[in-house]
Amino acid sequence: MPHENDDPTLPGAAPPGRGVTRRSFMQTLGISAAATSALGGEREATAAVADDTPVLGPGPVPITLRINGKPHTRTVDPATTLLEALRVDLDLTGTKEVCDRGACGACSVLVDGRLTVSCMMLAIDAVGAEITTVEGLARGDTLDPVQESFVRHDALQCGFCTPGLVMASRALLDENPKPTLDQIKKGLSGNLCRCGTYTNVFNAVLEASGQTPIADAEEAMP
Amino acid sequence: MSEQRDHLPTIMPTSNRPINAGAALDDDTARLDAVAKVTGRARYARDRYEPNALFAAFIRCPFGAATLTGLDEAAAKAVPGVVDVKRTGDEGRYHGEPVGFVVAESKHALRRGLRAVAPKWKRGSVKTTITDDAGPIPATEDDVAEAIANADHVIEAVYSTPVQTHSALETHGVVVDHRGDTATVYASTQGTFSVRDGIGDALGLARSEFEVRCEYVGGGFGAKFGPGKEGMLAAEVARRHERPVYVFCDRAEEHLDTGNRPSSRTHVRVGFAKDGTPLATRVHTWGGVGVARRGGGARIPSQRYDLGSVQKTHEDVQFNAGGPRAMRAPGWPQGAFAEELLLDEIATVAGVDPLALRRRLDGDTARRAMYDLGADLIGWSRRAKTGTQSSVVRRGFGVGTTSWPRIPARAEAEVVVHRDGSVEARTGTQDIGQGQRTAMGVIAATKLGVPLRLVTVMIGRSSYPVGPGSGGSMTLPNTAPAMMAAALDARSKVLEHVARRRGMEANELTIADGYVIRGEERLVGWEDACRGLPDDGVTGRGDGRSGAAHRGEGTSAGVQFVELTVDSETGVIAVERVVAIQACGQVVSRKTAESQIIGGVIQGISYALFEDKLLDRNLGAMVNPNLEMYKIVGSRDMPHIEPVLWTQGQTGVRSLGEPPVVPTAGAIAAAVFNAIGAPVRHLPLTPDKVLAAQEGGAA
């Protein structure tokens, strides 16, 4: 998904996770926080404001996050990660906290279409981005094809890694609609599962991409 | 309950495992809570952020041994949002041992409070491994010593396994919502009732005044029984403040202080005949138990093989680390690793096929048939003789075995049939990912004779009928007979009402496919039949004893075959394929059973190749308390895994938690030996050890 404001000459224009500086995201934040209620688009607002914006914090700051198509405004501690904002401040607990340092993928969400571990991103850094969480994949009672094939192939046990694996699988298929088994293994290698569901996940992703799951050998029982 | 909508059964056949077609009571229904889990709607204990909640965490010792000499409680209390700071001890005997705690209004304030207390420590000297303090091997009995001495061949070797942490993805923790004279306890637990039994005093409430809930649990693997220190802290703080309290370990704490599979060392001296038949075996094991008094050990001999006359002794060894807890077949994978590799070493010395040797030493009839099936499936005939390969990439085959007994426990169940035809199947037991919710639904629906969509499974609450914790593969063997009996009881009660209204005898009637049936005749549909029930419906009750007829006998036998390659230049092992044949009685839900076998294999691979809790030998601190340096197996390490549900001669219902995790590491070690011609006797089988074994023979 292209970023609508990739012009590097604009202050605070760098999209999250792409070389954003502390200064620039604070600017983005400051403007966004101030402008959200008055203006619809945070990034446009960013571009229009001079760069003498005060650095915010250490006290709580108001932010608006766009999640699954809807804006949510909260006042958060500036140290709040996107993961904490989702879970603690917005009660969107489908996104799981497991390692809290980017090692396991359980907290994966899409930020402007890009797979992102939300524990490694500040909430204030996500202002202005379009965030999709696991709660936002299904359309009403209609599951995303990835979710549906996870259900069919029992690609989950305790389910704690599942939201992250679902998001990583979705992101993989968005980028590569017909991945090979090796590409699936590589594409999901940022996600850890402890119960041991990986091989069923591979089958789920194969099927969700219109391919045939891997079959076991057939042998008559003695 | 809004979440029940997510538990509606969906029939979703899969065709990629033809060998298991028809193996289960239910072949095609998807896991009942799968939709709740893939949509993020499943709410775990860790997801309970109650309004007005306090957050609490322990102040922990950062070294293997240290005395607390200073704690700046005033500074911590001065942090905005910090509510309380308490010192509870002065001595840290291991990295992660609590010496106090901080309570705060938010996670941020808690973190700042924990930093502000700035503990000062005086370090002590530490022991960090079994070998730091292992005692000598006790004397060998004369007859065993003599039999070994007189044998044609003798192998004497030491095998060792590391500390493995459970690493459940949902860490240990409890949320207590205390309202003064009542409380709700949301626990991430393997034992609903174990939490109830342990937390009442800390809550200051009678068992009738609070409820424990664990509707979803993010893994356990043996470490999550009872309220734990997290639950006791949450209860104590919640009671004092009469507010909800949230206590969950972070990932480092989870590695440090929530139990582990203890390390082991196994010394074996075996004497065997020219054909490889063991005549006498002397085994001494050491178990590393950290600061605990016991809990170590390696189950060798496994008693699956005849090792001649055996003398076994054991010593638990303490060092400066958190103590062990049960982990998926406690002691069994450690023992199987040593035993399976030893058998392959014996076979190689004797010049016999290791599978043939096992066939000779293993008297279990189910496993003997499994050896044949597995050898065909894996292609055992492609196996080169050990030590004969000189190519860069060398191929290895290995085999390992498992068994698990049926462990009895008290279990009760209820099946409520309402006048609208809906059904509730209730058990207080928990689903930690094994599929208990699904199994209970399938059993209730099958025995009642109605479609599964009519059944709402209600589990994981201490107000529901009592049942065992999910450890030792005890859940299903005990709750299945209870649920069967409850469903049959409910069925008879429904049929009595139908019979009475129609002037028939209840024993003429049965229920199948959603109809009350007499002979060949569909008498009345289920919903219509239920309209004649009393206002509050009927309740069927069962316990494990009344369901005795549904119990199985014997052990959960299994055999696993492994095919792998070893790169002789890098020492890297790539497991390519695992065939896991497993008996577990009457299979209830095929998909969840297959998944649990696959999961056992995957944890076994992880144990074999990667996992190792490393302590700094000077500081006694764990150097890898995270998930990037404490490596667990990932997607790129995955072989193709073929679970085979063994149905022949199976009776009753059993569980699959323990049996499939037992043999994998041993089979992998045997296959590596087959590939490179030298045994690697110390887990994990890392490239450095593989290369060292290649260079110097036996490691």
Side-chain angles (χ1 to χ4, degrees), chain B residues 251-527:
Chain B
R251 184 51 51 188
E253 294 175 292
E254 188 71 10
H255 279 296
L256 295 170
D257 197 26
T258 64
N260 53 67
R261 184 189 292 288
S263 53
S264 76
R265 240 176 125 72
T266 298
H267 179 274
V268 184
R269 191 171 149 80
V270 56
F272 53 99
K274 282 198 174 64
D275 67 355
T277 305
L279 303 169
T281 308
R282 175 73 178 94
V283 181
H284 181 74
T285 57
W286 295 269
V289 297
V291 296
R293 287 209 184 83
R294 57 192 181 84
R299 191 181 157 89
I300 174 171
S302 67
Q303 304 186 341
R304 293 187 289 276
Y305 303 111
D306 180 358
L307 298 182
S309 69
V310 177
Q311 184 195 351
K312 161 86 183 270
T313 50
H314 173 75
E315 180 193 13
D316 278 334
V317 180
Q318 294 190 318
F319 49 84
N320 295 94
R325 290 184 194 168
M327 181 165 182
R328 225 170 165 177
W332 290 51
Q334 294 97 310
F337 160 67
E339 189 176 61
E340 301 292 357
L341 182 51
L342 174 67
L343 285 179
D344 272 50
E345 292 186 47
I346 291 171
T348 302
V349 170
V352 299
D353 180 288
L355 182 58
L357 179 65
R358 284 174 176 78
R359 280 200 180 97
R360 203 182 328 140
L361 303 179
D362 184 353
D364 185 272
T365 47
R367 267 198 306 273
R368 292 167 70 91
M370 291 175 186
Y371 288 133
D372 296 335
L373 175 64
D376 278 353
L377 288 173
I378 200 78
W380 189 259
S381 57
R382 293 182 292 128
R383 177 183 181 276
K385 268 179 79 172
T386 298
T388 59
Q389 298 178 66
S390 54
S391 49
V392 172
V393 176
R394 300 172 190 175
R395 187 162 296 275
F397 291 82
V399 59
T401 63
T402 187
S403 55
W404 193 259
R406 178 187 183 281
I407 303 174
R410 186 175 157 221
E412 296 173 2
E414 283 174 1
V415 171
V416 181
V417 178
H418 294 292
R419 285 185 75 182
D420 60 1
S422 64
V423 178
E424 289 172 29
R426 293 189 192 142
T427 159
T429 52
Q430 52 292 317
D431 193 328
I432 61 170
Q434 80 275 42
Q436 171 71 350
R437 180 177 272 115
T438 309
M440 290 292 100
V442 167
I443 287 170
T446 308
K447 292 298 164 185
L448 207 50
V450 303
L452 183 49
R453 67 179 163 76
L454 295 177
V455 179
T456 298
V457 184
M458 305 174 80
I459 64 170
R461 292 193 183 198
S462 58
S463 55
Y464 296 161
V466 71
S470 292
S473 296
M474 285 163 63
T475 320
L476 202 50
N478 293 293
T479 55
M483 188 57 79
M484 287 177 182
L488 293 174
D489 187 34
R491 188 178 75 161
S492 341
K493 286 175 173 158
V494 171
L495 292 178
E496 276 165 29
H497 282 281
V498 173
R500 200 178 310 142
R501 288 162 64 92
R502 292 172 184 254
M504 299 171 178
E505 293 296 319
N507 61 14
E508 298 174 68
L509 309 177
T510 186
I511 304 172
D513 304 324
Y515 288 90
V516 176
I517 293 177
R518 185 171 67 165
E520 301 286 298
E521 180 198 357
R522 284 183 167 179
L523 207 57
V524 57
W526 171 257
E527 269 95 355

Side-chain angles (χ1 to χ4, degrees), chain B residues 195-209:
Chain B
V195 177
R196 182 199 64 182
D197 295 351
I199 206 169
D201 288 348
L203 289 170
L205 296 173
R207 286 182 189 180
S208 55
E209 293 170 324

Side-chain angles (χ1 to χ4, degrees), chain A residues 46-139:
Chain A
T46 302
V49 176
D51 68 348
D52 58 352
T53 315
V55 172
L56 294 188
V61 292
I63 60 167
T64 295
L65 295 175
R66 240 189 115 68
I67 303 162
N68 302 326
K70 288 186 196 136
H72 299 264
T73 301
R74 291 290 187 280
T75 302
V76 302
D77 188 297
T80 303
T81 61
L82 175 57
L83 174 63
E84 287 169 328
L86 291 171
R87 290 174 54 81
V88 185
D89 297 292
L90 297 162
D91 205 31
L92 286 166
T93 55
T95 306
K96 298 304 182 206
E97 178 181 344
V98 169
C99 74
D100 205 24
R101 52 196 278 166
C104 76
C107 63
S108 297
V109 299
L110 302 181
V111 177
D112 286 336
R114 182 191 305 265
L115 188 66
T116 304
V117 280
S118 58
C119 70
M120 297 295 280
M121 183 180 212
L122 291 174
I124 52 179
D125 200 8
V127 168
E130 194 66 52
I131 299 158
T132 306
T133 71
V134 70
E135 288 96 342
L137 279 194
R139 296 275 167 268

